[in-house]
Amino acid sequence: MLRSVLKRVAFAVPTIFGVVLVSFALTRLLPGDPAVYFAGAAPTPEAIVDIRKAMHLDRPLWEQFGSYIVNLLHGDLGKSLITGQPVIKDLAARMPATLELTGLSLLIALLVSIPLGVIGALRKGSLIDHASRFFSTTALSMPSFFTGLLLVFVFYYLLGLAPAPLGRIDPLGLPPPVRSGLILIDGFLAGDYESVADGLAHLVLPSIALALSGIGPLTRITRGAMLTVLSSDFMRAARSYDMPRWRLIYVYALRNALLPVLTTAGFVFSFLISANVVVEKVFSWPGIGSYALEALVASDYAAVQGFVLSVALLYVLINILIDVLYGIVDVRVRLAE
């Protein structure tokens, strides 16, 4: 297993380099001049030239890229012009908020989509099947920012059931001592259940808004995989042994249908990380998505490149994790390795 993981890490190196190259090129194609942006409301030509020199933008592109690669190899992602802090420090401070939101969103999407897909496959063509397909298609077709605004309007403004969309915790409340950066886990570790309840209340609406976009593809993949497995020869043979129905469905059929679901869950997680950019802005969530959006508006090259690179690394790690789970779920994959 370790050898397989190391092999996948080695294969990911060219991918990461490609991401670095493309993100560097794309940020240089952004409209606007960051030197003008940071020179103030009435900049002089001399001030713009000085700022451009300070940002090393007066150098040739190949020289800028070479310097960027050397700094990356030393763990230096540059300094954000907006916050004045090293980008890696900004990302480390904001990443737990994004992971907490994305992780709960994926969990909600899996808890809803897998039962819907299984029921749809078991009762193909029934009213429940059509209802689950309608729900998954509708959820997929609604943009996350629209769903988020709609949830805020209904549950905060009209009904008053949800807290104000102003971050991870009540502005007047005290967060638990930082250990992992995850409000729920830190609250449990500190025994601060009031913070846990407050953090969970602030997580619900953005998590649902984000999860809805993942429910559609996961439900369809689960339903399709279950239909394929249920019509396979080994399932016909298993039925002839007069096994309990729950054992046939949940032990044999669902377990064999999980491989494509795992693959799709990995893609959905990566998609949710990117979709966070808008949802975090709607809910004033202090994650890397809102950080990247502010950096993009200000043409803060180092921050944007740091965001793209961190998302790419997350994507690689998720794929490696999925490959490991393949071996756990399906013994054929483990034996082939």
Side-chain angles (χ1 to χ4, degrees):
M1 183 65 75
L2 180 62
R3 185 180 174 185
S4 173
V5 170
L6 292 176
K7 189 189 296 182
R8 284 169 175 80
V9 171
F11 286 154
V13 173
T15 305
I16 296 296
F17 180 77
V19 169
V20 170
L21 180 61
V22 171
S23 64
F24 179 86
L26 289 180
T27 50
R28 264 54 183 182
L29 292 176
L30 288 174
D33 187 343
V36 175
Y37 181 88
F38 289 100
T44 62
E46 293 78 13
I48 294 175
V49 170
D50 290 342
I51 293 175
R52 193 172 283 124
K53 282 183 180 177
M55 297 171 69
H56 307 299
L57 296 176
D58 57 330
R59 299 179 183 176
L61 277 180
W62 63 268
E63 193 175 331
Q64 293 180 40
F65 183 67
S67 174
Y68 178 60
I69 291 294
V70 171
N71 290 335
L72 272 186
L73 294 176
H74 288 85
D76 182 7
L77 298 179
K79 186 177 283 188
S80 169
L81 297 173
I82 298 176
T83 64
Q85 298 291 324
V87 171
I88 195 165
K89 188 176 178 181
D90 286 342
L91 291 175
R94 291 168 174 265
M95 185 63 81
T98 295
L99 291 179
E100 193 169 43
L101 174 59
T102 310
L104 185 62
S105 302
L106 183 63
L107 181 64
I108 292 173
L110 288 172
L111 290 177
V112 173
S113 60
I114 290 179
L116 277 181
V118 171
I119 293 172
L122 293 176
R123 302 188 179 184
K124 183 183 176 185
S126 67
L127 185 61
I128 294 178
D129 183 27
H130 289 302
S132 70
R133 290 165 67 185
F134 174 77
F135 174 70
S136 62
T137 304
T138 305
L140 181 61
S141 61
M142 294 177 71
S144 296
F145 73 91
F146 175 75
T147 313
L149 290 173
L150 188 64
L151 290 172
V152 169
F153 179 72
V154 174
F155 291 97
Y156 168 64
Y157 182 74
L158 290 182
L159 302 178
L161 297 176
L166 295 175
R168 306 175 71 188
I169 200 165
D170 192 292
L172 299 178
L174 290 175
V178 178
R179 295 182 184 177
S180 65
L182 307 175
I183 291 284
L184 301 185
I185 292 179
D186 288 348
F188 274 117
L189 292 177
D192 186 356
Y193 300 112
E194 189 177 341
S195 295
V196 173
D198 191 22
L200 192 58
H202 282 78
L203 257 175
V204 171
L205 290 190
S207 298
I208 293 175
L210 207 54
L212 285 175
S213 56
I215 288 175
L218 285 169
T219 302
R220 287 183 171 273
I221 291 294
T222 304
R223 180 180 179 275
M226 280 295 291
L227 285 174
T228 303
V229 172
L230 289 172
S231 61
S232 61
D233 292 337
F234 85 89
M235 283 301 295
R236 292 194 191 95
R239 288 192 193 97
S240 67
Y241 286 100
D242 197 23
M243 291 183 183
R245 180 177 168 78
W246 67 267
R247 189 178 182 85
L248 281 173
I249 294 170
Y250 297 107
V251 176
Y252 292 100
L254 183 57
R255 183 171 182 178
N256 282 280
L258 278 181
L259 288 184
V261 177
L262 281 176
T263 305
T264 309
F267 286 122
V268 167
F269 187 85
S270 305
F271 168 76
L272 295 182
I273 290 270
S274 304
N276 264 334
V277 173
V278 180
V279 174
E280 287 183 1
K281 202 65 183 173
V282 171
F283 289 90
S284 304
W285 199 259
I288 62 171
S290 56
Y291 176 70
L293 191 60
E294 292 166 6
L296 200 60
V297 172
S299 297
D300 190 349
Y301 293 161
V304 174
Q305 289 167 184
F307 168 77
V308 174
L309 183 60
S310 60
V311 171
L313 288 175
L314 271 178
Y315 185 76
V316 169
L317 289 175
I318 291 165
N319 275 279
I320 292 173
L321 178 63
I322 288 173
D323 288 340
V324 172
L325 291 176
Y326 272 5
I328 296 173
V329 173
D330 194 335
V331 68
R332 294 169 298 181
V333 177
R334 194 161 60 245
L335 291 175
E337 292 175 350

